[in-house]
Amino acid sequence: NAAATNESAANAQGQGKRYLSQPLVTEIYTADPSAHVFGGKIYVYNSHDIDGPTPEDDLGAHFEMRDYRVLSMDKIGGPVTIGPVALDVSQVPWAEKQMWAPDAAYKNGTYYLYFPAKDRQGAFRIGVATSKNPMGPFKPNPQPIKGSFSIDPAVFTDDDGKSYMYFGGIWGGQLQRNTSGTYDPNGSKTDLQADDKPALTPKVAAMDPGMTEFAEKPRDVVILDERGQPLKGGDHDRRFFEASWMHKYNGKYYFSYSTGDTHYLVYAIGDSPYGPFTYKGRIMEPVEGWTTHHSIVEWDGRWWLFYADTQLSGQTRLRNVKVTEMFYNPDGTIKTINPVLK
Ligand code: FUB
């Protein structure tokens, strides 16, 4: 029984903590959940964490994931099905390793799985694979998306049917090594190393109607402070690190992301899918484990935050996906969630 397993995991770590919610599944380790409602069911496209031999470092070499397994459920709080392997790195001709945070989209009878992986030069690219079934198996395109780089794709489809991919991550996500248009393996390990200058931005590109290529060169997603100035590189509590997500609420565009080394999930609001977005605050305080990565989805007229922590293992590389309800204030701001109860 999952509750008993979770209780004993927490006790084994001697944490004596109370968690806001419990892992969706305990049979495998999961992280970076991208939740979608397809045909009335909830599907979660997540990283499938495994215990590899590589020591932890600042570039995430210890995240050695090799495949994807999709989770599905008829309702939030109901039983969760773990799908079979939906895509394995060995099936992707251009990819060598590190199948990181994926996302998915649906159009005209086809499901699209978007995923980052390192190529044989050590550069992250973003690939796409297709299936007629939301659980897969997915068939990968032989090449990554042209002009793609970095990590954490999140595909948002607007009310007019146009889709956009948001992506990027600094440090191990390599945004800072792609500023010239080509991957520089000798570039900075972290960021631009210019604390007083505008921070590196996530990217956005409209998808072409076939959903497998960009329709344009990726643009900067500019995040402004309350004075209308771009967030600075030294503003680690608020600047973009990784884990882009886009959702729309009451006609406004909510771009949310992780601040990485300060471990917050935060958001910024704009009037267009391209931004600019103005920073508004925190969605979630830090979870247990180094990374924090989420998605936001409306289901049954309520809003849900999918996220992950390390409750089951106590190890950053072995995470578990959770879900909790998210609430708005009357002015459209989001009520901050604390994932660990006192
Ligand atoms: O899971 C590997 C990486 O860690 C993801 O791509 C990031 O968002 C962070 O969660």
Side-chain angles (χ1 to χ4, degrees), residues 31-32 47 49 63 65 100-101 151-152 242-243 291-293 319:
D32 309 326
S47 299
D49 283 357
F63 294 118
M65 299 82 96
W100 283 13
I151 60 167
D152 290 1
E242 63 188 4
T291 67
T292 186
H293 186 137
R319 299 160 289 180

Side-chain angles (χ1 to χ4, degrees), residues 8 34 61 70 83 98 105 110 116 138 149 164 171 198 205 228 240 249 303 308 338:
S8 61
S34 293
V70 183
Q98 293 181 290
T110 300
F138 288 86
F149 53 90
Y164 303 83
W171 295 28
F240 174 80
Y249 177 74
W303 288 88
N338 193 333

Side-chain angles (χ1 to χ4, degrees), residues 176-295:
Q176 74 284 354
R177 291 183 171 181
N178 281 285
T179 51
S180 68
T182 46
Y183 174 68
D184 173 7
N186 302 312
S188 161
K189 283 198 159 165
T190 54
D191 55 20
L192 293 175
Q193 300 185 310
D195 283 358
D196 293 332
K197 297 263 166 51
L200 279 159
T201 60
K203 306 292 172 193
V204 58
M207 299 301 293
D208 82 358
M211 297 294 278
T212 59
E213 296 291 349
F214 294 155
E216 59 184 349
K217 193 167 172 284
R219 311 180 190 195
D220 290 342
V221 175
V222 176
I223 306 167
L224 304 171
D225 66 14
E226 61 289 349
R227 291 170 300 123
Q229 299 300 309
L231 294 180
K232 301 259 171 50
D235 189 351
H236 289 216
D237 278 358
R238 299 192 297 176
R239 61 90 172 89
F240 174 80
F241 191 101
E242 63 188 4
S244 295
W245 189 256
M246 171 58 66
H247 77 280
K248 206 171 175 182
Y249 177 74
N250 281 350
K252 297 279 187 193
Y253 295 84
Y254 286 61
F255 178 75
S256 50
Y257 57 97
S258 162
T259 63
D261 55 340
T262 47
H263 316 289
Y264 301 119
L265 286 178
V266 300
Y267 70 107
I269 299 180
D271 292 317
S272 148
Y274 288 117
F277 301 95
T278 302
Y279 179 88
K280 288 292 175 187
R282 292 182 194 162
I283 299 172
M284 187 173 253
E285 298 291 348
V287 293
E288 286 181 347
W290 200 96
T291 67
T292 186
H293 186 137
H294 68 302
S295 60

